[in-house]
Amino acid sequence: MSDLPSTPTTQVSNSGPSALATASSQRKERGAIAAQACDTCRSRKQKCDEQRPKCGTCQKFKLECNYREPQPTKKDKTLVEILERIKSLESKIDDLSLHTNFPTTNPFAAVQTPAFAPTTTLGLTPSIHGPPINPSFPLPEPSSATSGTEDHYHYVSSVHGMLAWPGVQGLLASVQPKVPSFDLSLLERDVPIPPLNTQGHNIKALPTSTAVASGPSMTLHGQVHGSASIPFSRLNWDAVQRLSKAYFDTFNLLFPILDRRSFLSDTLPSLFNRGFGQEITSTIAFLVCALGEVALAGTEGNPIHVHAHNGRPSGIKGGSKDEPPGLELFNEARKRMGFNLTECSLENVQIFALASLYYGSCFHLMDFWRMNTSASLACQALITSNPSELSSPRADLIRRAFWHCSIMETCLNLELGFPLTGLEKMESLVGLPDFSGPFCEEDYAANQESHYQEHFASQIVLRRILVEFHGVLSQTGTPTPSSMGSGPNPFSTSGSSNKLDRMTIHHLALQLEQWRGMLPPHLKWQEDAPGAFPTGTQGMFSNAAPSLLVPTSTPLSPIMATSQHQPSRPGAASASSLMFSTDLDAPPARYPYVLDIHVSLLRSRYYYTKYLLHRPFVYKALHFPDSMTHDDAAGAAECLKACLKWPITMSPTCTKKRLLPCHFFFSRNFLGILVLLHLSSTVPILRSIRSTLCGDRFEMDASETVGLCTDWLRDLKGVDGVSRWHWEVVKAIYGLDE
């Protein structure tokens, strides 16, 4: 299958673990060529076993053993640059707090207009806020504008808080008769919206048994009799190899928390030689296989339904609502997890993180949250009880697991108000991952084509920027690493006070644009072309982008986006340069190593951050239109433009929803986007901003965005109670058919 390509490396035979061990040893020997030898062995031009603190040769001859600081290889230079940019960008964000001298009682009152910012404009470059203000945009007389201490900006991080705005409640009240399950009074409480409380009535717990009959356990040597092994059907060597490859070519590239080399060369052969037991390595193996089945079925399986209104197959593939793919294997893992609950180890963190990903693929929000919380707490327990692990050979894996949990926890906290576990207090202690240590050729090939390491590092940076922004906009005081993620309840309808200063928002917008500008060329894209190929693709590689992004073993599918809604305009991305398509009925493009998911997640989270940052301007336009200035209008326009065409809603990514994380997070934000786009077409001040400041293509792009977001909610409403409620509200607002 094309999404799970065979890598151009030495293939491992399916004959058994002995062949795997042979191939693995070959990889290890090849890796030793470029390994870091000590100075003594280097001078003698002999092989070094690299033992620390002294290698075997130096111990034998009682010589001083020194290792040089390893230099980054060509493939690592971009990642090193990203890590350096993280530190640079964080220092600039910290400077925002230091230079503005926020007082404790009124953090934003003392913000001074930066020297680069004219007093009558946004103070931002055209690349951030588009073309100059249209002089035809109607504004109040200067005398009617309020003073800087009464700017009436209102920040909330959650869609729940936005729905509680009086200007939004008027719209919701008008459609309430069409949504009997919607109680407006609940928006006034600092609690989750009804679907989170009633989800248990819409989605059943995963069944603990399946219809597949159990059979004798299989090992390398055939059937195992007696009590030493656990009976299980179909789990033979070939099946495990296939499922493991599917997992490592998809989920582990998106969430790199396991070591492929160690799992394939050590863990699996050991398990098949002695049989699966109750130990934690067996639990991990079953979880890997379960997610591997999700990866295979989620990309090439049958859709769980076909939409009656347009005949479009669902983007949810494999299994059914109640019995998702990989369930039998996941249940085998669940049987063993009880024996591994309190083990203080990296493997303990991994089983909870893997279980969380599986629940997420089944659209079980509360189970996803509880497992991720367990992974976060297990990570803290490991680091607290054994800090030396952070200097062990597995330190980088711990860092990757730490940041994976942190990214997921941030989504849950900012949008749903789920409590933080305290993970954010350890960020400075843990540090950033650098993907150091041994690696196998499969991961090297995957990184060459998908740049998954750079994507993961860039998401860490973006997550930290988002949390810092939230701390500043929520007026929680000077943001520090130890307080990241703190702030008011995202469900609070009070939000930030109306002393929020617009120049602070503009300064933060510059920091966000700086993050985008610091991305390596093969991750960059045009701001106004969210569906385009990375701008540096052609320059970084000799092949054309389409041939680069499709494995050679795969017939060239319509990788050129087939959307017919992209008229030519100066500076616009041409149809041949589009990586994502708004035409959901055309055959989806195919990319190796889930490259499209990497790209769509990074860009969608960027637009989310920008949308959240500028949403206070929309609040002011809705509630204090007579106080709007040119700056405010341009800020509201930026919010509206940031709503448009998030790549995660486009093809091919939306056709593989089981592989996407945090569906609930995106579903909630798509509800908020659909509400704002509707208001922008009906509220006079927003309609004027939309027609004069958002560009010539806004109407067309907004129409496509409405179609993409409604299709997302329509697709998920049958498997997710939260999305079902969102769909009912959107259906009433837009007058849609079921």
Side-chain angles (χ1 to χ4, degrees):
M1 56 180 291
S2 58
D3 280 338
L4 305 168
S6 297
T7 54
T9 60
T10 302
Q11 297 299 311
V12 177
S13 169
N14 287 334
S15 60
S18 59
L20 177 63
T22 301
S24 177
S25 65
Q26 292 174 353
R27 285 196 298 269
K28 289 180 183 177
E29 288 180 11
R30 183 171 182 174
I33 297 174
Q36 184 69 27
C38 73
D39 290 341
T40 301
C41 294
R42 187 184 300 275
S43 63
R44 295 186 176 197
K45 297 183 179 180
Q46 68 180 41
K47 185 176 179 180
C48 180
D49 61 15
E50 301 181 60
Q51 292 185 27
R52 306 291 177 114
K54 277 192 174 187
C55 72
T57 299
C58 293
Q59 290 182 46
K60 181 178 179 180
F61 296 103
K62 298 181 180 180
L63 301 173
E64 185 177 353
C65 190
N66 294 316
Y67 287 94
R68 299 180 187 178
E69 193 66 28
Q71 297 298 314
T73 62
K74 182 177 180 180
K75 78 178 186 65
D76 294 327
K77 287 182 179 178
T78 301
L79 187 60
V80 172
E81 290 174 4
I82 289 177
L83 299 178
E84 289 300 320
R85 288 166 180 170
I86 293 177
K87 299 174 183 177
S88 171
L89 205 53
E90 285 179 338
S91 65
K92 292 178 181 179
I93 296 175
D94 291 339
D95 287 344
L96 173 65
S97 305
L98 297 173
H99 293 160
T100 51
N101 297 318
F102 296 155
T104 304
T105 57
N106 186 2
F108 289 90
V111 175
Q112 301 297 319
T113 303
F116 60 81
T119 57
T120 59
T121 68
L122 279 172
L124 297 176
T125 63
S127 63
I128 301 174
H129 278 276
I133 301 300
N134 189 325
S136 65
F137 178 74
L139 287 173
E141 294 297 324
S143 59
S144 66
T146 56
S147 66
T149 58
E150 298 179 357
D151 278 334
H152 301 295
Y153 304 117
H154 185 82
Y155 168 78
V156 289
S157 67
S158 70
V159 172
H160 175 95
M162 190 199 80
L163 296 180
W165 291 354
V168 178
Q169 285 200 312
L171 170 63
L172 298 179
S174 67
V175 301
Q176 186 172 11
K178 301 178 183 178
V179 191
S181 62
F182 184 47
D183 183 0
L184 281 176
S185 65
L186 290 173
L187 294 175
E188 301 173 3
R189 308 176 190 175
D190 294 348
V191 295
I193 247 172
L196 295 184
N197 297 329
T198 62
Q199 189 182 11
H201 301 293
N202 298 316
I203 296 184
K204 301 177 182 178
L206 290 178
T208 55
S209 62
T210 61
V212 180
S214 296
S217 175
M218 298 295 297
T219 71
L220 171 65
H221 307 292
Q223 296 185 2
V224 174
H225 303 281
S227 59
S229 298
I230 304 296
F232 185 73
S233 64
R234 299 182 300 165
L235 197 63
N236 54 38
W237 178 255
D238 291 343
V240 171
Q241 285 286 291
R242 176 172 170 269
L243 295 174
S244 298
K245 176 173 174 54
Y247 164 78
F248 281 103
D249 283 350
T250 54
F251 281 104
N252 205 62
L253 300 182
L254 296 168
F255 321 105
I257 59 177
L258 290 185
D259 176 24
R260 187 199 299 245
R261 183 194 61 81
S262 174
F263 183 83
L264 295 179
S265 62
D266 300 330
T267 303
L268 283 187
S270 175
L271 288 175
F272 269 84
N273 281 324
R274 70 172 186 270
F276 288 82
Q278 306 292 349
E279 69 282 348
I280 201 166
T281 52
S282 292
T283 307
I284 291 177
F286 280 118
L287 289 168
V288 165
C289 290
L291 286 169
E293 191 168 328
V294 172
L296 291 169
T299 53
E300 298 294 339
N302 294 323
I304 65 170
H305 58 254
V306 175
H307 297 297
H309 80 290
N310 59 9
R312 184 177 298 154
S314 170
I316 307 166
K317 298 176 182 177
S320 65
K321 172 186 175 181
D322 297 325
E323 291 199 10
L327 180 60
E328 185 181 2
L329 296 162
F330 182 65
N331 282 338
E332 291 296 322
R334 286 203 286 181
K335 293 175 185 177
R336 293 160 173 78
M337 286 181 71
F339 294 100
N340 315 135
L341 286 178
T342 57
E343 183 173 317
C344 197
S345 65
L346 172 60
E347 289 78 11
N348 184 249
V349 180
Q350 291 168 336
I351 63 170
F352 289 126
L354 293 171
S356 175
L357 292 176
Y358 185 83
Y359 278 122
S361 74
C362 305
F363 310 98
H364 283 239
L365 166 59
M366 301 306 292
D367 297 321
F368 169 85
W369 165 56
R370 294 190 66 180
M371 287 293 99
N372 194 76
T373 297
S374 297
S376 297
L377 293 172
C379 196
Q380 293 177 66
L382 170 63
I383 296 169
T384 302
S385 63
N386 195 0
S388 62
E389 284 279 17
L390 291 177
S391 57
S392 71
R394 302 201 300 174
D396 202 63
L397 272 176
I398 295 174
R399 294 187 180 98
R400 288 184 241 163
F402 175 92
W403 284 106
H404 162 71
C405 293
S406 184
I407 291 171
M408 297 299 172
E409 194 170 284
T410 297
C411 293
L412 290 158
N413 175 255
L414 293 186
E415 187 53 52
L416 300 178
F418 288 168
L420 298 171
T421 62
L423 203 63
E424 72 283 356
K425 298 176 182 177
M426 291 186 166
E427 290 182 11
S428 58
L429 172 64
V430 173
L432 300 166
D434 57 10
F435 289 88
S436 59
F439 63 91
C440 60
E441 292 186 12
E442 290 90 341
D443 281 341
Y444 176 81
N447 192 49
Q448 289 294 98
E449 294 205 47
S450 70
H451 306 288
Y452 75 90
Q453 296 178 3
E454 292 96 326
H455 275 101
F456 188 65
S458 298
Q459 294 234 33
I460 293 174
V461 187
L462 186 57
R463 177 261 168 201
R464 297 185 77 165
I465 291 173
L466 173 61
V467 171
E468 294 284 358
F469 286 6
H470 176 66
V472 172
L473 295 175
S474 299
Q475 298 188 19
T476 57
T478 301
T480 62
S482 63
S483 64
M484 292 172 84
S486 61
N489 183 352
F491 290 121
S492 174
T493 57
S494 59
S496 61
S497 73
N498 61 5
K499 298 296 179 67
L500 180 60
D501 188 282
R502 71 171 176 268
M503 290 314 305
T504 299
I505 300 177
H506 298 161
H507 198 159
L508 296 176
L510 282 173
Q511 303 293 346
L512 181 61
E513 179 64 13
Q514 205 163 21
W515 169 86
R516 198 174 69 86
M518 286 180 172
L519 291 173
H522 44 274
L523 268 63
K524 285 184 179 178
W525 75 98
Q526 288 179 273
E527 169 79 16
D528 61 347
F533 277 108
T535 55
T537 300
Q538 297 285 352
M540 291 291 291
F541 303 94
S542 58
N543 294 333
S547 60
L548 164 71
L549 300 176
V550 179
T552 55
S553 60
T554 304
L556 186 64
S557 54
I559 192 166
M560 304 298 189
T562 56
S563 173
Q564 302 301 315
H565 312 293
Q566 300 287 343
S568 176
R569 77 186 196 280
S574 63
S576 62
S577 64
L578 290 176
M579 183 176 181
F580 301 93
S581 173
T582 58
D583 186 355
L584 304 186
D585 294 315
R590 296 182 180 275
Y591 302 95
Y593 302 111
V594 289
L595 173 63
D596 58 305
I597 298 181
H598 286 293
V599 174
S600 64
L601 283 175
L602 187 66
R603 295 184 188 181
S604 297
R605 283 171 170 163
Y606 163 79
Y607 288 114
Y608 161 74
T609 305
K610 187 172 183 179
Y611 154 74
L612 201 64
L613 184 59
H614 291 90
R615 203 160 61 185
F617 292 111
V618 176
Y619 174 87
K620 183 175 181 179
L622 282 172
H623 303 92
F624 303 94
D626 292 339
S627 300
M628 291 289 286
T629 66
H630 279 297
D631 291 353
D632 298 331
E638 284 305 302
C639 178
L640 294 176
K641 288 189 289 184
C643 295
L644 301 179
K645 296 167 68 171
W646 292 9
I648 201 168
T649 64
M650 299 163 70
S651 178
T653 306
C654 69
T655 67
K656 296 176 282 192
K657 290 188 173 73
R658 286 202 187 273
L659 276 66
L660 302 177
C662 303
H663 307 86
F664 61 89
F665 172 82
F666 290 107
S667 294
R668 298 265 289 195
N669 278 285
F670 295 153
L671 169 64
I673 285 173
L674 289 168
V675 168
L676 285 190
L677 288 178
H678 181 82
L679 289 172
S680 72
S681 66
T682 56
V683 176
I685 182 74
L686 290 179
R687 188 168 63 240
S688 182
I689 291 172
R690 173 173 173 158
S691 63
T692 59
L693 303 182
C694 291
D696 297 336
R697 282 187 48 82
F698 184 85
E699 294 302 325
M700 185 176 296
D701 289 342
S703 176
E704 288 183 330
T705 300
V706 170
L708 292 169
C709 291
T710 54
D711 186 86
W712 174 284
L713 295 178
R714 180 187 274 117
D715 198 18
L716 288 180
K717 66 182 175 63
V719 297
D720 176 29
V722 177
S723 294
R724 178 73 198 183
W725 185 85
H726 294 160
W727 165 253
E728 292 296 333
V729 175
V730 169
K731 184 177 70 170
I733 292 175
Y734 283 87
L736 302 174
D737 295 329
E738 182 67 25

